[in-house]
Amino acid sequence: MKKLKTVIIGCGNIFTMHVTPVMHRTDTELVGVCDIKKDRADKAAKKFGTVAYYDYEKMLTELKPDIAHVCLPHYLHPVASQFALEHGVNVLCEKPMSIRYADGEECVKAAEKNGVNYGVIFQCRYNDASQLVKKTLESGELGNVISARSTLTWFRPDDYYNGSDWKGTWDKEGGGVIIDQAIHSLDLVNWFVESEPAQVSASYANRGHCVMEVEDTAEGLITYENGTRYAFWAMNNYGCDEPIEIRLLCEKGKVVLTYDDAWITFTDGREVHVKQSADNLVYENGKDYWGFQHVKQIDEFYRSVHEKRAPEISGKEALKIQKIVCGIYESGKTGKPVKLK
Ligand SMILES: NC(=O)c1ccc[n+]([C@@H]2O[C@H](COP(=O)([O-])OP(=O)(O)OC[C@H]3O[C@@H](n4cnc5c(N)ncnc54)[C@H](O)[C@@H]3O)[C@@H](O)[C@H]2O)c1
């Protein structure tokens, strides 16, 4: 098997979830890391025995890697992804793929034009609980989803925003609790519902964070072509990060998924339960609420590159949740429902 040359762009908080699985792989070599904050790039390069860059364009053109992980602030995702894709590099980008839907579409086109893979991280799909729910729905045992709801009640102190040069801003983060935190639960429910989203009606507000300008609270209703109704509520004003909760009312049973646990109760009385199995990798400074499934998605992405096929969570797949996220913001801003088709 060909050894793949990998680079990681952005050595901030999420870097650990990318570099740890990469360093454990036998089919890849970390040839470079990049951060405009020189101390971060230097520290990461020293620790992982690779080369530090402070300009990702220079790194990509000089090293010509096979794969680039994009771990940058949101507004730079499509900029860096597109540059890499157009230089023939396979890209695995952190969520969200972009702030604007059109920028995500441009990246999908660039990947297609250059014949390379473009994946977007939604690691929660690889939790054992998410996998059980998806497989059970696909098997038909639960019938269609009639109704869904998700709740996210997390804690982001003022310092979370004060300590960042991009979080809490419309131009660089692109929003708050929806585009950054609730995007995972929105993506999971949208993935579970086997129908096209037709419309979203939403509202958002900043109720508890005067230090920043974006929303810390949002709620809304997404309706699907087949009639499924999905109500969501998310906020960063609780005292701790409680597990996200997703409930599905299906034709032949009910699902309760609390992040890494899932209970399925069928109308015939059967019950199935799964709890996340332990992971062997140790992530320095990794956070529980991220889950620890980056390793699984990274593995699937690398296999897709070897096998010259699209990754499971491709850019095209990520456009689905991007459209919903952008629709939530548009609806919240205008106060009107937004068509998603
Ligand atoms: N999947 C998850 O559960 C999860 C969890 C946390 C963060 N994330 C995502 O990871 C991404 C990064 O978040 P973070 O918390 O690590 O942010 P961060 O601010 O800690 O890290 C971003 C890094 O990018 C660097 N950077 C900025 N501009 C650059 C440029 N032009 N060239 C090179 N480096 C540049 C910054 O100096 C910083 O070190 C975001 O998209 C975030 O949403 C995902």
Side-chain angles (χ1 to χ4, degrees):
M1 194 184 279
K2 182 191 162 202
K3 199 129 180 158
L4 300 166
K5 290 197 287 176
T6 292
V7 296
I8 305 180
I9 309 172
C11 306
N13 294 315
I14 205 65
F15 175 78
T16 184
M17 305 307 289
H18 289 257
V19 76
T20 311
V22 165
M23 295 308 289
H24 276 81
R25 296 190 70 84
T26 53
D27 64 344
T28 188
E29 183 190 353
L30 184 67
V31 293
V33 290
C34 173
D35 202 295
I36 40 163
K37 290 184 177 150
K38 293 188 175 180
D39 55 325
R40 290 190 183 179
D42 289 343
K43 192 173 159 203
K46 191 169 172 208
K47 183 160 182 189
F48 297 104
T50 189
V51 184
Y53 279 82
Y54 318 116
D55 174 339
Y56 66 79
E57 293 193 1
K58 188 168 187 279
M59 176 169 78
L60 292 167
T61 42
E62 279 185 12
L63 298 179
K64 298 186 180 18
D66 297 294
I67 297 181
H69 294 238
V70 175
C71 301
L72 293 170
H74 297 172
Y75 72 107
L76 291 170
H77 286 184
V79 188
S81 297
Q82 191 145 0
F83 184 88
L85 293 165
E86 279 171 359
H87 283 75
V89 181
N90 299 284
V91 169
L92 183 56
C93 182
E94 263 298 341
K95 54 53 114 169
M97 65 198 309
S98 57
I99 292 176
R100 293 182 340 128
Y101 183 79
D103 294 339
E105 276 186 309
E106 287 306 312
C107 290
V108 170
K109 282 186 205 153
E112 280 168 6
K113 193 174 109 207
N114 292 285
V116 283
N117 278 2
Y118 171 41
V120 182
I121 291 282
F122 282 101
Q123 80 279 6
C124 297
R125 288 197 192 185
Y126 292 89
N127 285 344
D128 292 348
S130 312
Q131 289 284 322
L132 174 74
V133 173
K134 180 69 179 170
K135 284 187 179 128
T136 310
L137 284 163
E138 279 176 343
S139 74
E141 276 182 286
L142 276 166
N144 285 331
V145 178
I146 298 166
S147 187
R149 79 166 211 212
S150 67
T151 53
L152 177 148
T153 56
W154 283 6
F155 176 55
R156 291 293 173 276
D158 283 349
D159 284 352
Y160 173 83
Y161 300 101
N162 284 333
S164 168
D165 45 19
W166 63 277
K167 293 215 165 176
T169 65
W170 286 111
D171 59 340
K172 294 193 168 81
E173 190 176 14
V177 69
I178 286 294
I179 201 166
D180 207 321
Q181 287 87 34
I183 194 168
H184 287 296
S185 37
L186 289 160
D187 175 65
L188 282 180
V189 175
N190 190 54
W191 183 52
F192 293 149
V193 176
E194 299 274 328
S195 178
E196 292 284 306
Q199 179 176 289
V200 60
S201 178
S203 66
Y204 62 77
N206 180 332
R207 303 203 192 281
H209 292 86
C210 58
V211 297
M212 59 91 171
E213 62 191 28
V214 298
E215 90 287 356
D216 61 12
T217 309
E219 61 73 40
L221 179 70
I222 299 167
T223 43
Y224 286 79
E225 268 189 335
N226 68 354
T228 303
R229 289 156 66 87
Y230 165 29
F232 63 88
W233 177 53
M235 60 97 151
N236 276 340
N237 289 307
Y238 193 58
C240 68
D241 292 331
E242 283 296 349
I244 59 165
E245 188 188 90
I246 292 172
R247 284 179 182 255
L248 307 177
L249 171 66
C250 305
E251 288 169 328
K252 293 188 253 174
K254 284 185 178 181
V255 171
V256 181
L257 184 153
T258 54
Y259 190 51
D260 61 357
D261 260 293
W263 290 265
I264 302 179
T265 316
F266 296 94
T267 41
D268 63 11
R270 278 179 303 132
E271 282 188 349
V272 184
H273 172 237
V274 71
K275 174 130 188 86
Q276 185 64 42
S277 55
D279 188 63
N280 298 328
L281 292 187
V282 177
Y283 301 88
E284 199 177 320
N285 302 322
K287 303 237 174 26
D288 248 2
Y289 59 83
W290 295 340
F292 293 102
Q293 309 313 324
H294 274 78
V295 63
K296 289 196 179 143
Q297 191 175 347
I298 289 168
D299 180 53
E300 199 282 329
F301 185 81
Y302 277 63
R303 282 189 285 113
S304 77
V305 171
H306 286 300
E307 293 161 15
K308 300 192 193 323
R309 58 161 176 86
E312 283 176 354
I313 311 181
S314 63
K316 211 167 163 189
E317 177 67 16
L319 278 175
K320 295 179 185 169
I321 187 59
Q322 193 64 26
K323 183 171 257 186
I324 290 176
V325 164
C326 292
I328 291 171
Y329 284 115
E330 195 188 329
S331 175
K333 201 166 150 188
T334 59
K336 293 185 177 143
V338 169
K339 298 265 176 252
L340 297 171
K341 282 213 59 116

